[in-house]
Amino acid sequence: MTSPGSGSDGGPDGGPGWGAMPTGAGEFRLRPVRLPADLELLAGWMNDPETAAFWELAGPPAVTERHVRAQLDGDGRSLPCLGLLDGTPMSYWEIYRADLDPLAAHYPARPHDTGLHLLLGPADSRGRGLGATLLAALAGRVLRARPRCERVVAEPDVRNLRSVRAFERAGFTRAAELDLPDKRAALMVRDREPWPAPAG
């Protein structure tokens, strides 16, 4: 996972203001992470072995807090959010300006490319297609809300087959493999063309 960029402009425009996103799984919303109120929940998710294998944020809550606070106190280019499904927090998201992120040194970035990181928190949220449903909803909303953004991108670890498949089911194309400082990643790209949301 890449870290947030630096500077003073160019953040993801108003993510939490995008409103409700109806999906086949329920009503999906984002809200900004609140510290310290959300820390126990997030740290619990980060210490799940399946999550820790790829996010590498296991340990005491201070580990998660440093990661999230760096974005909250940063320049706004990376926005950490909780994802709520029918009002229940069940996922963690980072919406970031990929073209202004260190990731841009590793792929042919275009102006206003928007990147997504996703973590499905509770174990019972995984393995039933929910990731693809939410990714499709959010990618579509990003492209509608940010007219200068032509693509939504992601860079899951190539070993995280469940994540890669979720992005593919959400309309992303596996465009390349990237050697990043902390992993070998699959570059997933969702272009502006309309894409039907997956059922469920």
Side-chain angles (χ1 to χ4, degrees), residues 37-121:
D38 296 325
L39 183 57
E40 182 178 356
L41 177 67
L42 290 175
W45 292 348
M46 293 300 180
N47 278 281
D48 180 296
E50 186 174 340
T51 298
F54 299 108
W55 281 77
E56 299 180 348
L57 291 173
V63 175
T64 297
E65 182 175 20
R66 280 193 298 271
H67 176 80
V68 174
R69 194 168 293 285
Q71 297 170 76
L72 292 174
D73 295 344
D75 54 30
R77 292 182 183 182
S78 184
L79 181 67
C81 292
L82 277 184
L84 285 71
L85 192 62
D86 290 332
T88 300
M90 46 68 64
S91 53
Y92 171 69
W93 299 78
E94 293 171 351
I95 306 169
Y96 66 98
R97 278 288 299 271
D99 59 321
L100 303 178
D101 188 87
L103 176 65
H106 299 274
Y107 84 105
R110 296 180 189 170
H112 301 282
D113 277 357
T114 297
L116 298 179
H117 296 143
L118 163 63
L119 158 63
L120 292 178

Side-chain angles (χ1 to χ4, degrees), residues 138-175:
L138 183 55
R141 183 61 57 92
V142 167
L143 291 169
R144 286 191 296 274
R146 306 192 68 223
R148 293 182 293 176
C149 172
E150 293 296 329
R151 304 185 303 176
V152 179
V153 303
E155 23 77 28
D157 193 304
V158 294
R159 299 169 299 157
N160 193 347
L161 300 180
R162 182 179 287 180
S163 179
V164 171
R165 284 195 297 268
F167 279 103
E168 288 174 338
R169 290 188 61 237
F172 288 73
T173 299
R174 186 168 176 158

